[in-house]
Amino acid sequence: MARHARHAREPFEGERSVGGVSGTATPSPARPAPRRERGPAHRWWVLGVIGLAQLMVVLDATIVNIALPSAQQDLGFSDGNRQWIVTAYALAFGSLLLLGGRIADLVGRKIVFLTGLVGFAVVSAIGGTAPGFEVLVVARALQGLFAALLAPAALSLLTTTFNVPNERAKAFGIYGAIAGTGGAVGLLLGGVLTEYLNWRWCLYVNLLFALIAFVGGARLLSAGAPAHRPKLDVPGTVLVSSGLFCIVFGFSNAESHRWSSPDTWGFLVAGGVLVAAFAWWQTRAVHPLLPLRVVLNRNRGASYLAMFIAGGGMFGVFLFLTYYLQRTLLYSPVATGLAFIPMVALMIATSMTTTNVLVPRFGAKPIVPLGMGIAAAAMVWMTGLDLTSGYVTHVLPNLLFLGLGLGMVFATVMNLATYGVAVRDAGVASAMVSTSQQVGGSIGTALLNTLATGAATSYLVGRPPTPANMAQAQLHSYATAYWWSAGYFALGLLITLVLYRRGAPRPQLVEDASPVRA
């Protein structure tokens, strides 16, 4: 990346290095530092608005999980189709995030943020009134579309608002905790709404979140319209969106069509080819959708991979542990949600400590691999859960270990994934964070669901379908998912240990805007 940095060029209007020093040799004394123009109170109110929007997006990926048994009974869809309620959201979200991030860079982050909020609220209302499976799936897909506008705009607003190191560490600690624990908060909120109201309120509640965030965003956020608008990379958009869609769709099809079916491997191969073509095109496009200067930074590349892996392991765990608590231990929806609260609390505490104390001193290299290793150990430990496991003695220790590990990963990764990015690339760099998490989560959920279903079917071969055997088959399927999740996190440990640079993050220079050519 060093050959793409220039020390003596004039920056674009309004440009500065996010999380670092500017690329100019000597800043003009006549221009005061932009971050000092706003008082601290205003910046923290902005964080509150952005955090609320991010919470809505993240918890919506799991709030429906806890309502799935009730929705499935009400609408009458099969076990094989249940994953599409989760996957439809992730498919649209993951495949369109890069486009959403670049639109935020081109049009303006405030208007894209507010548009995403309104659209998300409207389609949530449609999903809440769904009379059948098909309408609910379509509504979930549309939620993913508007989330693809909202999430990168939110993170890029945070990135451009907080660039003073101490404030940035605190802000990203809070934001990382929201992103990491939002799924568990969704389980709790979903439990309360499902038990005391109706599963449909798991969708209706987004209207309240969106209204509060919209009012706050309209009052507090600046327009942020770019002075210079490069053209949108249409070929790159088509290639990456269709490629990511094919990959996630192929994994999702594996349960109903098997791995040997063209409907599975055909989509996976097509997706791989399209993503490879996208990477090639980005080296030649005049205005690339994802400039390679963003991803070729070693720490950022490691962060995107870490988020992809952690997302895959985390979302799968939430799904299967929810079913274990409700179907095996017979917990109510509220009790299931409350069971995750200690993990949420520990993740928040760990995220704040990691970003404010550990990373500034030691850097990401020892922190993220250690977090991955702790999460992997928690998943291995979780395979021992059985029909008589108690919450305090068996479930809670696993959740605490998992919260500790994920808390070390998420806040650190989100900070470094946007560290040193020029303002003009903040949207697409932020979109890469969410893309990694959502595509990883959707692939992880689909893959783990397929493996778990296959494990349950294999267990019952040659055994009579008695209640005892059926219960053991479910336990076997959950354990299979936990083992694969442990493998996910172990792979993350190795990758991050190799890729992250040693030492604390240093101020970055604004990077060159010219395209990278092969």
Side-chain angles (χ1 to χ4, degrees):
M1 290 301 299
R3 63 191 181 92
H4 300 301
R6 295 182 179 177
H7 292 253
R9 69 170 177 82
E10 288 297 318
F12 292 103
E13 182 180 351
E15 176 187 271
R16 61 185 174 278
S17 174
V18 177
V21 297
S22 75
T24 56
T26 55
S28 172
R31 299 177 64 185
R35 294 276 63 85
R36 294 180 183 176
E37 293 176 358
R38 291 178 177 175
H42 184 78
R43 290 201 293 276
W44 296 113
W45 278 111
V46 169
L47 173 62
V49 170
I50 294 170
L52 181 62
Q54 175 66 12
L55 176 63
M56 181 181 72
V57 170
V58 175
L59 70 80
D60 214 72
T62 58
I63 192 173
V64 176
N65 283 355
I66 207 161
L68 263 180
S70 299
Q72 185 174 354
Q73 183 178 2
D74 187 18
L75 301 181
F77 52 86
S78 66
D79 286 348
N81 283 334
R82 72 186 178 193
Q83 69 164 323
W84 288 105
I85 306 301
V86 178
T87 305
Y89 178 86
L91 267 173
F93 193 8
S95 61
L96 297 174
L97 268 165
L98 285 177
L99 174 61
R102 187 46 96 188
I103 289 174
D105 288 333
L106 301 182
V107 176
R109 297 176 184 98
K110 178 178 179 177
I111 189 171
V112 172
F113 180 82
L114 297 178
T115 300
L117 283 172
V118 173
F120 199 92
V122 171
V123 296
S124 294
I126 294 173
T129 60
F133 172 75
E134 293 79 6
V135 175
L136 182 57
V137 170
V138 171
R140 291 285 288 164
L142 290 175
Q143 278 185 310
L145 184 153
F146 285 105
L149 292 175
L150 181 58
L155 183 54
S156 60
L157 283 166
L158 182 71
T159 301
T160 54
T161 300
F162 292 91
N163 71 329
V164 176
N166 289 339
E167 291 187 350
R168 178 182 173 87
K170 294 177 183 177
F172 272 86
I174 296 170
Y175 190 85
I178 292 172
T181 63
V185 173
L187 295 176
L188 173 60
L189 184 59
V192 172
L193 295 174
T194 301
E195 184 163 339
Y196 292 108
L197 293 173
N198 186 283
W199 67 266
R200 297 178 185 275
W201 282 92
C202 292
L203 295 165
Y204 291 147
V205 71
N206 290 323
L207 277 69
L208 177 61
F209 285 126
L211 176 62
I212 297 172
F214 183 89
V215 172
R219 291 176 60 87
L220 296 173
L221 299 175
S222 58
H228 305 283
R229 289 188 174 97
K231 294 180 180 179
L232 181 65
D233 178 14
V234 176
T237 299
V238 173
L239 286 171
V240 73
S241 298
S242 56
L244 292 174
F245 181 91
C246 287
I247 289 173
V248 177
F249 190 81
F251 276 106
S252 301
N253 261 350
E255 180 180 0
S256 57
H257 294 83
R258 297 185 180 183
W259 295 101
S260 59
S261 170
D263 288 329
T264 299
W265 64 261
F267 276 102
L268 293 175
V269 171
V273 170
L274 288 168
V275 170
F278 167 74
W280 170 82
W281 173 251
Q282 296 308 282
T283 66
R284 285 159 172 76
V286 177
H287 303 292
L289 177 68
L290 178 62
L292 294 187
R293 62 180 175 269
V294 173
V295 296
L296 291 182
N297 177 280
R298 187 167 162 180
N299 278 348
R300 285 202 292 270
S303 296
Y304 297 142
L305 287 173
M307 184 60 78
F308 175 86
I309 292 168
M314 181 188 69
F315 285 130
V317 170
F318 285 156
L319 176 62
F320 291 101
L321 192 56
T322 297
Y323 270 87
Y324 169 75
L325 292 174
Q326 288 196 44
R327 290 190 170 181
T328 301
L329 299 187
L330 303 179
Y331 280 26
S332 68
V334 171
T336 301
L338 289 173
F340 285 92
I341 288 297
M343 186 191 78
V344 172
L346 187 58
M347 280 189 71
I348 293 173
T350 304
S351 295
M352 295 299 295
T353 302
T354 298
T355 54
N356 288 287
V357 179
L358 300 180
V359 173
R361 182 174 180 181
F362 301 107
K365 194 174 186 70
I367 305 301
V368 177
L370 179 59
M372 290 284 189
I374 293 173
M379 298 316 305
V380 173
W381 195 359
M382 210 171 286
T383 61
L385 297 176
D386 58 29
L387 297 175
T388 60
S389 294
Y391 176 74
V392 174
T393 55
H394 300 93
V395 177
L396 180 60
N398 286 288
L399 287 175
L400 292 177
F401 254 71
L402 187 62
L404 177 64
L406 293 179
M408 298 175 73
V409 172
F410 278 109
T412 307
V413 165
M414 286 196 165
N415 193 339
L416 292 187
T418 55
Y419 191 82
V421 178
V423 169
R424 68 187 183 279
D425 293 328
V428 72
S430 302
M432 269 300 295
V433 181
S434 298
T435 299
S436 300
Q437 183 181 24
Q438 291 302 318
V439 173
S442 59
I443 289 176
T445 300
L447 180 61
L448 292 175
N449 198 54
T450 300
L451 293 168
T453 302
T457 302
S458 299
Y459 183 88
L460 290 172
V461 172
R463 293 183 172 93
T466 62
N469 283 336
M470 294 294 291
Q472 288 295 334
Q474 287 299 314
L475 279 180
H476 182 63
S477 71
Y478 301 150
T480 300
Y482 301 149
W483 276 115
W484 278 92
S485 294
Y488 254 63
F489 288 119
L491 178 63
L493 187 157
L494 294 175
I495 289 176
T496 55
L497 189 63
V498 170
L499 290 184
Y500 272 121
R501 295 184 182 277
R502 293 183 181 275
R506 293 174 295 179
Q508 301 288 308
L509 293 176
V510 171
E511 294 163 355
D512 198 334
S514 59
V516 180
R517 299 186 180 273

